[in-house]
Amino acid sequence: MTENLCASYWKQYGDTEKLEIVMQMYLRKIDDLYMVSGIAITKDFQGYGIGKLIYKYLVNELNYKILSDELQYFGARKLWNRLSKELDVVVDVYNYL
């Protein structure tokens, strides 16, 4: 099962408002874990901690057990490192394959 989460806000375009999506996260459920199979944040909103806030919400409010995807870029490793320091959780390296 795959879940798609989005963060968005209403942006004014002239006389109309449109929903502007700033973040998308794809989660794949594996047993009692949720694997992050992808996350994207629009360029204008990168660097504001949106990804970190979403991860914290999933762990603290929804009690999700989150698993990184198979490929982790440098920015993702930095994020997991920061999360391990800020959340009351343990971040482990785990080979699921």
Side-chain angles (χ1 to χ4, degrees):
M1 181 175 88
T2 302
E3 291 188 35
N4 180 14
L5 304 174
C6 294
S8 59
Y9 72 103
W10 289 99
K11 184 173 182 179
Q12 192 74 34
Y13 290 95
D15 292 336
T16 61
E17 284 187 329
K18 293 185 179 179
L19 192 62
E20 183 90 8
I21 295 175
V22 298
M23 187 277 313
Q24 285 189 304
M25 175 185 273
Y26 302 94
L27 300 171
R28 188 172 48 152
K29 188 157 174 52
I30 302 171
D31 300 326
D32 66 336
L33 303 173
Y34 287 90
M35 177 182 277
V36 179
S37 57
I39 182 168
I41 299 174
T42 58
K43 193 169 192 129
D44 291 344
F45 287 87
Q46 292 176 3
Y48 291 102
I50 293 172
K52 186 171 68 170
L53 288 173
I54 297 298
Y55 278 91
K56 288 170 88 170
Y57 176 78
L58 294 174
V59 171
N60 290 334
E61 302 299 323
L62 300 181
N63 297 312
Y64 279 20
K65 296 175 189 169
I66 300 176
L67 182 65
S68 168
D69 63 357
E70 296 92 0
L71 179 62
Q72 209 177 73
Y73 295 100
F74 179 71
R77 285 195 303 268
K78 283 178 29 181
L79 174 65
W80 284 100
N81 187 29
R82 278 182 284 180
L83 288 172
S84 72
K85 293 175 183 175
E86 294 180 23
L87 298 175
D88 189 20
V89 297
V90 175
V91 174
D92 282 332
V93 176
Y94 177 70
N95 187 357
Y96 189 77
L97 301 174

